[in-house]
Amino acid sequence: AQTVTQSQPEMSVQEAETVTLSCTYDTSESNYYLFWYKQPPSRQMILVIRQEAYKQQNATENRFSVNFQKAAKSFSLKISDSQLGDTAMYFCAFMKPQGAQKLVFGQGTRLTINP
Amino acid sequence: EPEVTQTPSHQVTQMGQEVILRCVPISNHLYFYWYRQILGQKVEFLVSFYNNEISEKSEIFDDQFSVERPDGSNFTLKIRSTKLEDSAMYFCASRYSGSPQETQYFGPGTRLLVL
């Protein structure tokens, strides 16, 4: 069974700073997908970024980028030029591309961006 | 932008009572999921549903749980006889197709409290 671990329950940075959220996972699969979802206060989870394991290039979406280290089973999220609207719970998730394609989540990291 | 909606946002019930949690997935989506998050714990997969049948369920999803798509728009989760440990946030999600490239879109959740 796959497991996802986020070791930082909470983080706090100043607006405009760069912040990195950590995620590690455990799997015996060779092909899989990894995700970062963001859940703002009292709002639904929305997808921030996706990485396919067979792609060596790290995914980027505007100010969001990942550092995917397949051998180390590490998948960190970097937020550059952080904004107040980035304040949210961030979940790392794993998915096998076969079957029901359910998401396996980490515990989440609560990120606060301070003005 | 289309969104997944869930009703009610909060529900309080007595132990042993039946509850039905409702979800309206995005209209052209074909794959549906329920997840739950007990306070302070990870978001956990409960069940996936496609083509009017369950495609995968977790160990949590025992005989007390059932899902249904009674019409073309709603997707429901029923708990027949609630237990204290069913208190959690329940999230519905939907996806357009079976491609792993397709994003799972989440609803805002229903917070269930069993007394």
Side-chain angles (χ1 to χ4, degrees), chain B residues 34-53:
Chain B
W34 283 101
Y35 295 83
R36 79 172 186 188
Q37 185 180 29
I38 295 172
L39 189 64
Q41 298 186 23
K42 294 183 178 185
V43 177
E44 304 171 286
F45 166 77
L46 289 178
V47 66
S48 59
F49 191 85
Y50 168 69
N51 200 26
N52 281 321
E53 59 184 28

Side-chain angles (χ1 to χ4, degrees), chain B residues 15-46:
Chain B
M15 190 169 57
Q17 295 295 305
E18 174 183 287
V19 296
I20 297 176
L21 310 183
R22 290 184 167 79
C23 169
V24 179
I26 294 173
S27 64
N28 62 348
H29 284 193
L30 302 174
Y31 293 76
F32 312 109
Y33 303 82
W34 283 101
Y35 295 83
R36 79 172 186 188
Q37 185 180 29
I38 295 172
L39 189 64
Q41 298 186 23
K42 294 183 178 185
V43 177
E44 304 171 286
F45 166 77
L46 289 178

Side-chain angles (χ1 to χ4, degrees), chain A residues 80-93:
Chain A
S80 303
D81 185 27
S82 57
Q83 300 174 0
L84 297 179
D86 295 333
T87 292
M89 195 77 168
Y90 287 80
F91 293 97
C92 178

Side-chain angles (χ1 to χ4, degrees), chain B residues 42-92:
Chain B
K42 294 183 178 185
V43 177
E44 304 171 286
F45 166 77
L46 289 178
V47 66
S48 59
F49 191 85
Y50 168 69
N51 200 26
N52 281 321
E53 59 184 28
I54 291 173
S55 49
E56 185 173 341
K57 59 183 181 180
S58 72
E59 292 177 354
I60 303 166
F61 195 88
D62 61 21
D63 292 344
Q64 293 300 313
F65 291 88
S66 63
V67 289
E68 194 178 31
R69 188 156 160 81
D71 51 42
S73 59
N74 290 285
F75 179 51
T76 62
L77 175 68
K78 181 193 291 186
I79 310 175
R80 289 191 183 82
S81 178
T82 50
K83 305 183 184 72
L84 297 177
E85 54 265 35
D86 294 328
S87 294
M89 181 74 100
Y90 288 81
F91 296 103
C92 173

Side-chain angles (χ1 to χ4, degrees), chain B residues 96-114:
Chain B
Y96 169 65
S97 79
S99 165
Q101 306 287 342
E102 287 292 332
T103 300
Q104 281 189 39
Y105 291 87
F106 282 80
T110 293
R111 186 170 296 283
L112 175 66
L113 178 61
V114 182

